[in-house]
mmCIF file of all heavy atoms in Angstrom:
data_model
loop_
_atom_site.group_PDB
_atom_site.id
_atom_site.type_symbol
_atom_site.label_atom_id
_atom_site.label_comp_id
_atom_site.label_asym_id
_atom_site.label_seq_id
_atom_site.Cartn_x
_atom_site.Cartn_y
_atom_site.Cartn_z
ATOM 1 N N TYR A 23 -7.343 11.213 -0.367
ATOM 2 C CA TYR A 23 -5.972 11.189 -0.875
ATOM 3 C C TYR A 23 -4.961 11.875 0.042
ATOM 4 O O TYR A 23 -3.801 12.004 -0.321
ATOM 5 C CB TYR A 23 -5.918 11.794 -2.287
ATOM 6 C CG TYR A 23 -6.823 11.027 -3.211
ATOM 7 C CD1 TYR A 23 -8.089 11.504 -3.529
ATOM 8 C CD2 TYR A 23 -6.435 9.798 -3.723
ATOM 9 C CE1 TYR A 23 -8.944 10.777 -4.343
ATOM 10 C CE2 TYR A 23 -7.279 9.065 -4.537
ATOM 11 C CZ TYR A 23 -8.532 9.558 -4.845
ATOM 12 O OH TYR A 23 -9.370 8.835 -5.641
ATOM 13 N N GLY A 24 -5.393 12.315 1.204
ATOM 14 C CA GLY A 24 -4.465 12.883 2.180
ATOM 15 C C GLY A 24 -3.861 14.215 1.788
ATOM 16 O O GLY A 24 -2.763 14.549 2.228
ATOM 17 N N LEU A 25 -4.554 14.988 0.966
ATOM 18 C CA LEU A 25 -4.049 16.282 0.534
ATOM 19 C C LEU A 25 -4.342 17.356 1.579
ATOM 20 O O LEU A 25 -5.233 17.199 2.401
ATOM 21 C CB LEU A 25 -4.708 16.704 -0.783
ATOM 22 C CG LEU A 25 -4.634 15.749 -1.961
ATOM 23 C CD1 LEU A 25 -5.324 16.361 -3.169
ATOM 24 C CD2 LEU A 25 -3.211 15.403 -2.289
ATOM 25 N N THR A 26 -3.608 18.457 1.485
ATOM 26 C CA THR A 26 -3.949 19.622 2.304
ATOM 27 C C THR A 26 -5.089 20.361 1.611
ATOM 28 O O THR A 26 -5.369 20.126 0.425
ATOM 29 C CB THR A 26 -2.744 20.573 2.447
ATOM 30 O OG1 THR A 26 -2.451 21.143 1.160
ATOM 31 C CG2 THR A 26 -1.525 19.863 3.014
ATOM 32 N N GLU A 27 -5.711 21.269 2.335
ATOM 33 C CA GLU A 27 -6.811 22.027 1.734
ATOM 34 C C GLU A 27 -6.312 22.877 0.572
ATOM 35 O O GLU A 27 -6.959 22.963 -0.472
ATOM 36 C CB GLU A 27 -7.503 22.910 2.777
ATOM 37 C CG GLU A 27 -8.721 23.616 2.216
ATOM 38 C CD GLU A 27 -9.518 24.372 3.257
ATOM 39 O OE1 GLU A 27 -8.976 24.668 4.345
ATOM 40 O OE2 GLU A 27 -10.688 24.689 2.976
ATOM 41 N N LEU A 28 -5.157 23.489 0.721
ATOM 42 C CA LEU A 28 -4.604 24.309 -0.360
ATOM 43 C C LEU A 28 -4.332 23.469 -1.607
ATOM 44 O O LEU A 28 -4.642 23.895 -2.724
ATOM 45 C CB LEU A 28 -3.314 25.000 0.097
ATOM 46 C CG LEU A 28 -2.610 25.846 -0.958
ATOM 47 C CD1 LEU A 28 -3.517 26.990 -1.421
ATOM 48 C CD2 LEU A 28 -1.303 26.385 -0.411
ATOM 49 N N GLU A 29 -3.781 22.284 -1.414
ATOM 50 C CA GLU A 29 -3.530 21.399 -2.552
ATOM 51 C C GLU A 29 -4.842 21.031 -3.241
ATOM 52 O O GLU A 29 -4.939 21.044 -4.477
ATOM 53 C CB GLU A 29 -2.799 20.138 -2.096
ATOM 54 C CG GLU A 29 -1.370 20.382 -1.661
ATOM 55 C CD GLU A 29 -0.729 19.205 -0.956
ATOM 56 O OE1 GLU A 29 -1.450 18.302 -0.469
ATOM 57 O OE2 GLU A 29 0.514 19.176 -0.885
ATOM 58 N N ALA A 30 -5.869 20.729 -2.466
ATOM 59 C CA ALA A 30 -7.171 20.381 -3.034
ATOM 60 C C ALA A 30 -7.758 21.548 -3.821
ATOM 61 O O ALA A 30 -8.241 21.368 -4.947
ATOM 62 C CB ALA A 30 -8.128 19.941 -1.922
ATOM 63 N N VAL A 31 -7.718 22.738 -3.244
ATOM 64 C CA VAL A 31 -8.239 23.933 -3.933
ATOM 65 C C VAL A 31 -7.490 24.156 -5.242
ATOM 66 O O VAL A 31 -8.103 24.406 -6.291
ATOM 67 C CB VAL A 31 -8.139 25.185 -3.025
ATOM 68 C CG1 VAL A 31 -8.417 26.459 -3.803
ATOM 69 C CG2 VAL A 31 -9.086 25.072 -1.842
ATOM 70 N N ASN A 32 -6.179 24.060 -5.201
ATOM 71 C CA ASN A 32 -5.381 24.272 -6.410
ATOM 72 C C ASN A 32 -5.670 23.228 -7.476
ATOM 73 O O ASN A 32 -5.779 23.554 -8.661
ATOM 74 C CB ASN A 32 -3.887 24.288 -6.068
ATOM 75 C CG ASN A 32 -3.463 25.589 -5.426
ATOM 76 O OD1 ASN A 32 -4.142 26.600 -5.512
ATOM 77 N ND2 ASN A 32 -2.319 25.561 -4.768
ATOM 78 N N ILE A 33 -5.820 21.986 -7.092
ATOM 79 C CA ILE A 33 -6.136 20.935 -8.062
ATOM 80 C C ILE A 33 -7.499 21.198 -8.698
ATOM 81 O O ILE A 33 -7.663 21.086 -9.910
ATOM 82 C CB ILE A 33 -6.085 19.538 -7.405
ATOM 83 C CG1 ILE A 33 -4.620 19.150 -7.180
ATOM 84 C CG2 ILE A 33 -6.796 18.487 -8.254
ATOM 85 C CD1 ILE A 33 -4.420 17.903 -6.358
ATOM 86 N N LEU A 34 -8.475 21.570 -7.905
ATOM 87 C CA LEU A 34 -9.809 21.849 -8.447
ATOM 88 C C LEU A 34 -9.782 23.022 -9.417
ATOM 89 O O LEU A 34 -10.569 23.070 -10.362
ATOM 90 C CB LEU A 34 -10.799 22.099 -7.310
ATOM 91 C CG LEU A 34 -11.066 20.885 -6.414
ATOM 92 C CD1 LEU A 34 -11.956 21.269 -5.240
ATOM 93 C CD2 LEU A 34 -11.664 19.734 -7.199
ATOM 94 N N ASN A 35 -8.869 23.954 -9.205
ATOM 95 C CA ASN A 35 -8.712 25.091 -10.111
ATOM 96 C C ASN A 35 -7.777 24.788 -11.279
ATOM 97 O O ASN A 35 -7.588 25.625 -12.156
ATOM 98 C CB ASN A 35 -8.191 26.308 -9.345
ATOM 99 C CG ASN A 35 -9.292 26.989 -8.573
ATOM 100 O OD1 ASN A 35 -10.222 27.527 -9.159
ATOM 101 N ND2 ASN A 35 -9.207 26.958 -7.248
ATOM 102 N N GLY A 36 -7.156 23.595 -11.260
ATOM 103 C CA GLY A 36 -6.256 23.214 -12.336
ATOM 104 C C GLY A 36 -4.853 23.777 -12.185
ATOM 105 O O GLY A 36 -4.089 23.822 -13.147
ATOM 106 N N TRP A 37 -4.497 24.194 -10.997
ATOM 107 C CA TRP A 37 -3.186 24.805 -10.753
ATOM 108 C C TRP A 37 -2.232 23.792 -10.117
ATOM 109 O O TRP A 37 -2.595 23.096 -9.178
ATOM 110 C CB TRP A 37 -3.310 26.005 -9.821
ATOM 111 C CG TRP A 37 -4.214 27.092 -10.302
ATOM 112 C CD1 TRP A 37 -4.488 27.442 -11.593
ATOM 113 C CD2 TRP A 37 -4.998 27.972 -9.487
ATOM 114 N NE1 TRP A 37 -5.376 28.478 -11.635
ATOM 115 C CE2 TRP A 37 -5.709 28.839 -10.352
ATOM 116 C CE3 TRP A 37 -5.162 28.121 -8.116
ATOM 117 C CZ2 TRP A 37 -6.552 29.825 -9.891
ATOM 118 C CZ3 TRP A 37 -6.010 29.107 -7.653
ATOM 119 C CH2 TRP A 37 -6.697 29.949 -8.538
ATOM 120 N N HIS A 38 -1.009 23.753 -10.573
ATOM 121 C CA HIS A 38 0.088 22.965 -9.983
ATOM 122 C C HIS A 38 -0.202 21.463 -9.897
ATOM 123 O O HIS A 38 0.362 20.773 -9.043
ATOM 124 C CB HIS A 38 0.447 23.494 -8.587
ATOM 125 C CG HIS A 38 0.598 24.967 -8.511
ATOM 126 N ND1 HIS A 38 1.596 25.645 -9.165
ATOM 127 C CD2 HIS A 38 -0.138 25.914 -7.867
ATOM 128 C CE1 HIS A 38 1.479 26.936 -8.921
ATOM 129 N NE2 HIS A 38 0.440 27.131 -8.152
ATOM 130 N N ILE A 39 -1.057 20.962 -10.757
ATOM 131 C CA ILE A 39 -1.447 19.555 -10.681
ATOM 132 C C ILE A 39 -0.237 18.635 -10.819
ATOM 133 O O ILE A 39 -0.064 17.712 -10.022
ATOM 134 C CB ILE A 39 -2.527 19.220 -11.729
ATOM 135 C CG1 ILE A 39 -3.853 19.874 -11.319
ATOM 136 C CG2 ILE A 39 -2.705 17.711 -11.880
ATOM 137 C CD1 ILE A 39 -4.977 19.703 -12.316
ATOM 138 N N PHE A 40 0.618 18.896 -11.798
ATOM 139 C CA PHE A 40 1.792 18.036 -11.989
ATOM 140 C C PHE A 40 2.705 18.069 -10.769
ATOM 141 O O PHE A 40 3.291 17.061 -10.399
ATOM 142 C CB PHE A 40 2.573 18.436 -13.245
ATOM 143 C CG PHE A 40 1.843 18.120 -14.525
ATOM 144 C CD1 PHE A 40 1.381 19.148 -15.329
ATOM 145 C CD2 PHE A 40 1.607 16.811 -14.913
ATOM 146 C CE1 PHE A 40 0.699 18.873 -16.503
ATOM 147 C CE2 PHE A 40 0.923 16.522 -16.077
ATOM 148 C CZ PHE A 40 0.467 17.557 -16.880
ATOM 149 N N ASP A 41 2.825 19.242 -10.143
ATOM 150 C CA ASP A 41 3.668 19.357 -8.947
ATOM 151 C C ASP A 41 3.141 18.482 -7.812
ATOM 152 O O ASP A 41 3.916 17.804 -7.131
ATOM 153 C CB ASP A 41 3.744 20.812 -8.474
ATOM 154 C CG ASP A 41 4.440 21.714 -9.472
ATOM 155 O OD1 ASP A 41 5.305 21.215 -10.226
ATOM 156 O OD2 ASP A 41 4.125 22.918 -9.503
ATOM 157 N N TYR A 42 1.826 18.507 -7.596
ATOM 158 C CA TYR A 42 1.250 17.720 -6.505
ATOM 159 C C TYR A 42 1.312 16.217 -6.803
ATOM 160 O O TYR A 42 1.612 15.428 -5.914
ATOM 161 C CB TYR A 42 -0.197 18.141 -6.225
ATOM 162 C CG TYR A 42 -0.300 19.560 -5.731
ATOM 163 C CD1 TYR A 42 -1.188 20.458 -6.300
ATOM 164 C CD2 TYR A 42 0.500 20.018 -4.690
ATOM 165 C CE1 TYR A 42 -1.287 21.763 -5.853
ATOM 166 C CE2 TYR A 42 0.415 21.322 -4.236
ATOM 167 C CZ TYR A 42 -0.480 22.184 -4.821
ATOM 168 O OH TYR A 42 -0.567 23.481 -4.366
ATOM 169 N N VAL A 43 1.047 15.852 -8.039
ATOM 170 C CA VAL A 43 1.144 14.434 -8.412
ATOM 171 C C VAL A 43 2.577 13.959 -8.219
ATOM 172 O O VAL A 43 2.822 12.889 -7.653
ATOM 173 C CB VAL A 43 0.659 14.200 -9.861
ATOM 174 C CG1 VAL A 43 0.993 12.790 -10.331
ATOM 175 C CG2 VAL A 43 -0.843 14.468 -9.968
ATOM 176 N N ASN A 44 3.539 14.767 -8.647
ATOM 177 C CA ASN A 44 4.950 14.424 -8.474
ATOM 178 C C ASN A 44 5.310 14.321 -6.996
ATOM 179 O O ASN A 44 5.996 13.382 -6.578
ATOM 180 C CB ASN A 44 5.838 15.454 -9.169
ATOM 181 C CG ASN A 44 7.295 15.103 -9.066
ATOM 182 O OD1 ASN A 44 7.703 14.004 -9.414
ATOM 183 N ND2 ASN A 44 8.087 16.039 -8.563
ATOM 184 N N LYS A 45 4.841 15.269 -6.191
ATOM 185 C CA LYS A 45 5.133 15.257 -4.756
ATOM 186 C C LYS A 45 4.673 13.940 -4.120
ATOM 187 O O LYS A 45 5.446 13.276 -3.421
ATOM 188 C CB LYS A 45 4.423 16.428 -4.069
ATOM 189 C CG LYS A 45 4.506 16.387 -2.561
ATOM 190 C CD LYS A 45 3.625 17.442 -1.921
ATOM 191 C CE LYS A 45 3.539 17.247 -0.421
ATOM 192 N NZ LYS A 45 2.638 18.197 0.221
ATOM 193 N N TYR A 46 3.427 13.572 -4.370
ATOM 194 C CA TYR A 46 2.894 12.365 -3.735
ATOM 195 C C TYR A 46 3.467 11.086 -4.348
ATOM 196 O O TYR A 46 3.599 10.078 -3.659
ATOM 197 C CB TYR A 46 1.370 12.384 -3.729
ATOM 198 C CG TYR A 46 0.870 13.364 -2.704
ATOM 199 C CD1 TYR A 46 0.452 14.632 -3.057
ATOM 200 C CD2 TYR A 46 0.894 13.039 -1.348
ATOM 201 C CE1 TYR A 46 0.038 15.548 -2.093
ATOM 202 C CE2 TYR A 46 0.484 13.945 -0.382
ATOM 203 C CZ TYR A 46 0.058 15.198 -0.762
ATOM 204 O OH TYR A 46 -0.335 16.094 0.196
ATOM 205 N N ASP A 47 3.852 11.127 -5.621
ATOM 206 C CA ASP A 47 4.512 9.977 -6.220
ATOM 207 C C ASP A 47 5.887 9.772 -5.584
ATOM 208 O O ASP A 47 6.289 8.640 -5.311
ATOM 209 C CB ASP A 47 4.640 10.163 -7.730
ATOM 210 C CG ASP A 47 5.069 8.900 -8.438
ATOM 211 O OD1 ASP A 47 4.462 7.836 -8.180
ATOM 212 O OD2 ASP A 47 6.020 8.966 -9.248
ATOM 213 N N CYS A 48 6.595 10.872 -5.337
ATOM 214 C CA CYS A 48 7.903 10.775 -4.668
ATOM 215 C C CYS A 48 7.753 10.250 -3.243
ATOM 216 O O CYS A 48 8.545 9.414 -2.801
ATOM 217 C CB CYS A 48 8.598 12.132 -4.670
ATOM 218 S SG CYS A 48 9.231 12.600 -6.294
ATOM 219 N N ILE A 49 6.748 10.719 -2.531
ATOM 220 C CA ILE A 49 6.523 10.234 -1.164
ATOM 221 C C ILE A 49 6.181 8.745 -1.190
ATOM 222 O O ILE A 49 6.721 7.960 -0.416
ATOM 223 C CB ILE A 49 5.423 11.046 -0.461
ATOM 224 C CG1 ILE A 49 5.902 12.483 -0.214
ATOM 225 C CG2 ILE A 49 5.000 10.383 0.842
ATOM 226 C CD1 ILE A 49 4.812 13.437 0.255
ATOM 227 N N LYS A 50 5.311 8.361 -2.105
ATOM 228 C CA LYS A 50 4.915 6.953 -2.221
ATOM 229 C C LYS A 50 6.126 6.059 -2.492
ATOM 230 O O LYS A 50 6.261 4.987 -1.905
ATOM 231 C CB LYS A 50 3.894 6.808 -3.357
ATOM 232 C CG LYS A 50 3.509 5.389 -3.676
ATOM 233 C CD LYS A 50 2.581 5.362 -4.882
ATOM 234 C CE LYS A 50 2.278 3.954 -5.316
ATOM 235 N NZ LYS A 50 1.489 3.934 -6.547
ATOM 236 N N ASN A 51 7.025 6.527 -3.365
ATOM 237 C CA ASN A 51 8.173 5.720 -3.780
ATOM 238 C C ASN A 51 9.450 6.040 -2.990
ATOM 239 O O ASN A 51 10.532 5.605 -3.376
ATOM 240 C CB ASN A 51 8.415 5.904 -5.278
ATOM 241 C CG ASN A 51 7.283 5.322 -6.089
ATOM 242 O OD1 ASN A 51 6.982 4.144 -5.979
ATOM 243 N ND2 ASN A 51 6.616 6.163 -6.864
ATOM 244 N N LEU A 52 9.286 6.791 -1.900
ATOM 245 C CA LEU A 52 10.401 7.130 -1.001
ATOM 246 C C LEU A 52 11.559 7.819 -1.720
ATOM 247 O O LEU A 52 12.733 7.506 -1.496
ATOM 248 C CB LEU A 52 10.890 5.897 -0.256
ATOM 249 C CG LEU A 52 9.855 5.202 0.626
ATOM 250 C CD1 LEU A 52 10.421 3.904 1.182
ATOM 251 C CD2 LEU A 52 9.399 6.118 1.751
ATOM 252 N N ILE A 53 11.226 8.772 -2.584
ATOM 253 C CA ILE A 53 12.238 9.542 -3.304
ATOM 254 C C ILE A 53 12.369 10.896 -2.607
ATOM 255 O O ILE A 53 11.427 11.685 -2.603
ATOM 256 C CB ILE A 53 11.838 9.746 -4.778
ATOM 257 C CG1 ILE A 53 11.670 8.391 -5.464
ATOM 258 C CG2 ILE A 53 12.853 10.634 -5.491
ATOM 259 C CD1 ILE A 53 11.026 8.463 -6.828
ATOM 260 N N PRO A 54 13.520 11.167 -2.009
ATOM 261 C CA PRO A 54 13.671 12.440 -1.290
ATOM 262 C C PRO A 54 13.669 13.629 -2.236
ATOM 263 O O PRO A 54 14.140 13.548 -3.363
ATOM 264 C CB PRO A 54 15.019 12.299 -0.582
ATOM 265 C CG PRO A 54 15.691 11.143 -1.182
ATOM 266 C CD PRO A 54 14.694 10.334 -1.933
ATOM 267 N N LEU A 55 13.123 14.732 -1.740
ATOM 268 C CA LEU A 55 13.036 15.967 -2.517
ATOM 269 C C LEU A 55 13.870 17.070 -1.875
ATOM 270 O O LEU A 55 14.248 16.981 -0.708
ATOM 271 C CB LEU A 55 11.577 16.440 -2.579
ATOM 272 C CG LEU A 55 10.584 15.516 -3.259
ATOM 273 C CD1 LEU A 55 9.175 16.041 -3.084
ATOM 274 C CD2 LEU A 55 10.919 15.389 -4.731
ATOM 275 N N ASN A 56 14.092 18.104 -2.627
ATOM 276 C CA ASN A 56 14.619 19.373 -2.119
ATOM 277 C C ASN A 56 16.007 19.314 -1.512
ATOM 278 O O ASN A 56 16.269 19.944 -0.498
ATOM 279 C CB ASN A 56 13.649 19.982 -1.103
ATOM 280 C CG ASN A 56 12.280 20.206 -1.692
ATOM 281 O OD1 ASN A 56 12.155 20.515 -2.870
ATOM 282 N ND2 ASN A 56 11.258 20.046 -0.894
ATOM 283 N N VAL A 57 16.912 18.575 -2.120
ATOM 284 C CA VAL A 57 18.304 18.625 -1.693
ATOM 285 C C VAL A 57 19.096 19.238 -2.845
ATOM 286 O O VAL A 57 19.183 18.644 -3.916
ATOM 287 C CB VAL A 57 18.859 17.230 -1.346
ATOM 288 C CG1 VAL A 57 20.330 17.314 -1.008
ATOM 289 C CG2 VAL A 57 18.080 16.630 -0.188
ATOM 290 N N SER A 58 19.622 20.417 -2.620
ATOM 291 C CA SER A 58 20.395 21.101 -3.647
ATOM 292 C C SER A 58 21.850 21.184 -3.218
ATOM 293 O O SER A 58 22.229 22.024 -2.409
ATOM 294 C CB SER A 58 19.837 22.509 -3.894
ATOM 295 O OG SER A 58 20.707 23.231 -4.740
#
């Protein structure tokens, strides 16, 4: 799935799962992030 090691470790521990799913969904659908 092209994750970083930290992302993989966190997912396996159940941490920040929604954040990572959202991140990769935005990348897949070309939705820019982090513009405030």
Side-chain angles (χ1 to χ4, degrees):
Y23 301 100
L25 305 181
T26 67
E27 185 173 19
L28 178 61
E29 291 169 341
V31 169
N32 284 342
I33 286 171
L34 294 175
N35 281 295
W37 302 330
H38 313 294
I39 289 176
F40 290 112
D41 295 332
Y42 296 130
V43 170
N44 183 53
K45 172 188 171 183
Y46 286 100
D47 191 49
C48 287
I49 292 170
K50 174 184 175 185
N51 293 302
L52 300 174
I53 301 169
L55 298 173
N56 302 326
V57 176
S58 171

